[in-house]
Amino acid sequence: MAIELLSVSSAYGNRKVLRNVDLQVASGSVLVLIGASGSGKSTMLRCIAGLEKISDGTIAIEGQVIHRGGETRRKKKNDPSNLLRREVGMVFQQFNLFPHLNALANVVLAIEKVRKMSHNEAKVLAESLLLRVGLEGHMESFPDQLSGGQQQRVAIARALAMKPRIMLFDEVTSALDPELVGEVLKVMRQLAADGMTMIIVTHEMGFARDVADRVIFMDEGEIVEDADPNIIFTNPREERTQAFLRRLIDR
Amino acid sequence: MSGDSPNYQWHWNVLFSHDAYLLLSTGLKYTLLVAGVSLIFGNVLGLCVALVRISKRAPFSQIAYIYTDFFRTTPALVQLIWIFYVMPILLHISLSPVVSGIVALSLNSGAFLAEIFRAGIQSIGRGQRDASFVLGLSPVQSFRHVVLPQAFRRVLPPTGNVLISLIKDSSLLSVIAVSELTYQSQIFVTSTFRPLELYTALAVLYFLLTYPLSLLTSSLEKRFRIT
C-alpha cells in the first residue's frame, strides 16, 4: 500500500479541515480528488507531504508511519519520516520555482544538496528530466522568461529529480491560461502511464476521467464518495456529489 | 538683511589652497572611515538582530524589537550626544569622539538595517519554503540557497539608501569634534571667513560621495534582475 491514512483529522484553530479521513492508495494507481474550495482536498495533500500537521490519526507510506496526530514539525535529521518524505514529490498551483535560478539550476539544486550527487552528475540528470517534460531549448531560461505551462513543467521535472515514489499534484493547472493546460496534462498522462503513484487535485474533469483509476469527492473535510471515474461522473451515488457536479456543468 | 548677496565677492581660490587640501583630505578620510566602519558593523548587527526577531525566541526577540524601535524613532544626533556624553558617565568608560561616533552610527544604521533585512527575509513567500521543504532541503539549506539569495536582491535598494544616509549622518559627528568633512569645513571657515564658498563646496562634496553610490545601487539592481 503506497499511502494509508487512518482516521486523519486536521484543524486550523477551531475549524476542522479534515475529519476522520480513512484512505488507502495502491502503488501505481492514480487517484483524483474533486470537491469545492475548502473541502479539504489541498489540505489532505499538504498533510501527506508534511507541510501541515495532523491533529489526529496516522499517515503511513509503504507501511511505515511518517506522520502522527499531535506531533510538532521539528524532527531529527535521520528520523525515518524525514527520509520517507523524499519519497513524496509535490507540484503546486503557483509553481513555486526559485526565481533567482534558471530552469536547470532549479532542478539541480535538490539533486546536489539532498541526494548529494556531484554537480556534473546532477546536471546530467536534470537535463534528462527537462528533456522528458519537453523543455530542451529552455534549460538556461529563468522562470520569468518562461510561460506558465513551461514553468509548471520545470516544477514537475524538479519534483521528479528526487525520484519520488508518489507524486502529489495540487491544482497544478488552475493558474494557467487555458491553452497552456494541455502541455502540462500531457506530461502528467505520461507519468501515469509510466506507473507513478499519483494523487491529483484538479478541476479538469475530462482529464480526470481519462487518467484516474479512482475518483474521490470531498466535502467539508470528509470523503463523501469514492468510485470509479466512469461511474462517478455519469451516475454519482451521493446527493452532494450530484449537486457539485451539476454546479460545475452549469458554469 | 536683504541686499547682501549682490555685494559679496566670491573667492573660489580659497578652495584650491594647500591648507584647503590638507583640511579637506583629512575630513574626507574621517568621513569615509566613520561611514564605512559603521556600515560594516551596522550590517552585521542588523542581520543578527533580524534573525533574532524572526526566530521569535523570548526574551531575545523582544529585546531586539525594543532596540530597533528605539534607534529608529529617536534622532541620530540625540543618540550620538547621549553615547558621547552620558554613556561614559554611566558605564565608567571613556570613548574617543571617533569611537563614540562609530558606535552611535552603527547602532543607528543597524536598527534600520535590521528592519530592512527582517522584512526582506519574511517577504519571501510561503510557497518558496513549501517547495524547499517537499524537495527535502533542510531549513538551513533552504535559507542559504533559496531564501537568502532572494532576500539579498530585495534588500539591496534600501540598503544602498542606508549607506547613503550614513555618509550624510557622518556630518553629525562634527558636533563632537570628529575631524570629518563638516567639522573641517567649519574650522576652515573660521580662518578664511569664506562660509559661502566653503559650505557650497561641502554640499557638492557630499553629493559627489553619495551620487555614485546611488548609481551603483541602480546598476546592481539591474544586474541581479530585480523585477
Side-chain angles (χ1 to χ4, degrees):
Chain A
M1 199 48 59
I3 306 177
E4 186 160 11
L5 275 74
L6 270 174
S7 302
V8 169
S9 295
S10 177
Y12 265 164
N14 285 327
R15 204 171 58 115
K16 270 217 149 173
V17 186
L18 287 178
R19 297 164 196 274
N20 260 314
V21 172
D22 288 313
L23 178 66
Q24 291 181 328
V25 183
S27 257
S29 69
V30 176
L31 170 66
V32 169
L33 293 179
I34 61 173
S37 314
S39 56
K41 6 186 252 300
S42 285
T43 307
M44 188 150 91
L45 285 192
R46 292 177 66 87
C47 289
I48 296 172
L51 289 168
E52 267 161 55
K53 298 176 281 204
I54 55 176
S55 51
D56 270 301
T58 59
I59 300 181
I61 291 184
E62 308 282 341
Q64 177 147 15
V65 173
I66 56 161
H67 302 301
R68 241 175 252 281
E71 266 177 343
T72 50
R73 192 161 139 175
R74 269 172 224 256
K75 288 194 200 129
K76 283 203 291 274
K77 223 175 182 173
N78 294 323
D79 189 285
S81 76
N82 274 331
L83 298 171
L84 272 173
R85 237 209 299 144
R86 295 191 210 165
E87 305 293 342
V88 179
M90 187 161 177
V91 185
F92 301 89
Q93 184 176 352
Q94 299 302 328
F95 329 139
N96 292 337
L97 289 182
F98 305 135
H100 58 295
L101 300 175
N102 66 20
L104 191 65
N106 256 278
V107 181
V108 163
L109 181 65
I111 307 176
E112 235 190 307
K113 303 296 171 190
V114 184
R115 287 179 66 186
K116 311 257 195 244
M117 277 191 185
S118 78
H119 186 73
N120 284 324
E121 286 180 318
K123 257 190 87 178
V124 167
L125 176 59
E127 280 167 6
S128 75
L129 283 166
L130 285 170
L131 208 80
R132 187 172 163 192
V133 299
L135 286 168
E136 325 63 274
H138 299 275
M139 305 217 191
E140 312 270 316
S141 303
F142 282 84
D144 61 1
Q145 297 170 317
L146 297 171
S147 75
Q150 291 168 327
Q151 289 184 59
Q152 198 59 297
R153 284 186 278 149
V154 175
I156 295 176
R158 184 177 66 171
L160 290 175
M162 296 308 295
K163 282 204 122 129
R165 279 190 255 184
I166 298 160
M167 281 283 279
L168 307 174
F169 294 86
D170 191 359
E171 300 204 33
V172 302
T173 55
S174 297
L176 296 177
D177 289 335
E179 66 269 18
L180 300 174
V181 168
E183 64 199 56
V184 175
L185 295 184
K186 181 171 160 207
V187 171
M188 291 166 71
R189 268 182 231 271
Q190 187 57 51
L191 262 180
D194 291 340
M196 175 68 76
T197 310
M198 295 160 74
I199 304 183
I200 305 173
V201 171
T202 187
H203 296 306
E204 299 284 335
M205 300 302 164
F207 172 74
R209 277 182 90 151
D210 283 343
V211 170
D213 296 312
R214 205 164 134 216
V215 174
I216 283 179
F217 171 67
M218 284 185 75
D219 189 34
E220 307 213 340
E222 292 177 312
I223 293 178
V224 172
E225 193 161 346
D226 179 349
D228 184 276
N230 294 318
I231 298 175
I232 203 171
F233 288 118
T234 51
N235 209 3
R237 198 184 60 217
E238 298 289 327
E239 169 61 48
R240 285 192 273 176
T241 320
Q242 295 171 21
F244 174 73
L245 289 172
R246 231 178 293 132
R247 278 205 316 272
L248 221 60
I249 296 168
D250 287 343
R251 260 187 349 167
Chain B
M1 289 176 5
S2 61
D4 264 355
S5 337
N7 295 322
Y8 186 80
Q9 303 241 299
W10 295 82
H11 290 288
W12 294 101
N13 56 320
V14 72
L15 290 170
F16 301 102
S17 66
H18 186 64
D19 284 341
Y21 171 75
L22 282 176
L23 275 168
L24 292 179
S25 61
T26 307
L28 188 63
K29 195 180 76 178
Y30 272 92
T31 293
L32 291 175
L33 172 75
V34 163
V37 174
S38 301
L39 181 69
I40 294 171
F41 283 138
N43 266 298
V44 172
L45 181 62
L47 186 59
C48 295
V49 170
L51 292 174
V52 166
R53 279 207 52 199
I54 291 173
S55 77
K56 296 206 171 83
R57 281 231 201 118
F60 305 107
S61 177
Q62 281 81 344
I63 295 172
Y65 177 69
I66 292 171
Y67 157 68
T68 54
D69 221 45
F70 179 75
F71 275 90
R72 289 191 320 147
T73 55
T74 50
L77 182 60
V78 171
Q79 294 164 14
L80 174 67
I81 293 172
W82 195 89
I83 287 171
F84 183 63
Y85 287 113
V86 179
M87 198 177 81
I89 298 173
L90 291 179
L91 297 179
H92 300 291
I93 53 168
S94 76
L95 295 172
S96 74
V98 175
V99 172
S100 300
I102 290 175
V103 168
L105 287 182
S106 300
L107 287 172
N108 183 272
S109 64
F112 284 97
L113 288 168
E115 261 309 280
I116 288 168
F117 293 158
R118 184 196 59 77
I121 291 170
Q122 291 184 323
S123 74
I124 308 302
R126 190 176 74 157
Q128 292 290 300
R129 282 174 275 142
D130 282 352
S132 310
F133 183 82
V134 300
L135 284 172
L137 291 167
S138 72
V140 171
Q141 288 173 323
S142 167
F143 184 74
R144 205 180 127 206
H145 298 289
V146 175
V147 175
L148 197 59
Q150 294 182 59
F152 176 76
R153 286 153 172 77
R154 284 197 201 171
V155 303
L156 264 183
T159 302
N161 287 337
V162 169
L163 174 56
I164 290 171
S165 292
L166 268 176
I167 290 180
K168 294 190 298 181
D169 288 346
S170 67
S171 63
L172 293 171
L173 271 55
S174 58
V175 311
I176 55 172
V178 171
S179 307
E180 45 69 60
L181 277 173
T182 303
Y183 184 73
Q184 297 293 78
S185 302
Q186 289 170 328
I187 291 189
F188 203 37
V189 164
T190 61
S191 65
T192 61
F193 302 102
R194 291 271 145 220
L196 269 68
E197 291 87 336
L198 287 170
Y199 289 130
T200 305
L202 182 64
V204 169
L205 267 174
Y206 275 112
F207 176 77
L208 290 175
L209 283 177
T210 58
Y211 188 61
L213 277 174
S214 74
L215 288 178
L216 181 66
T217 307
S218 303
S219 85
L220 277 176
E221 282 174 52
K222 289 201 192 84
R223 194 189 132 203
F224 283 119
R225 311 163 54 86
I226 298 179
T227 46

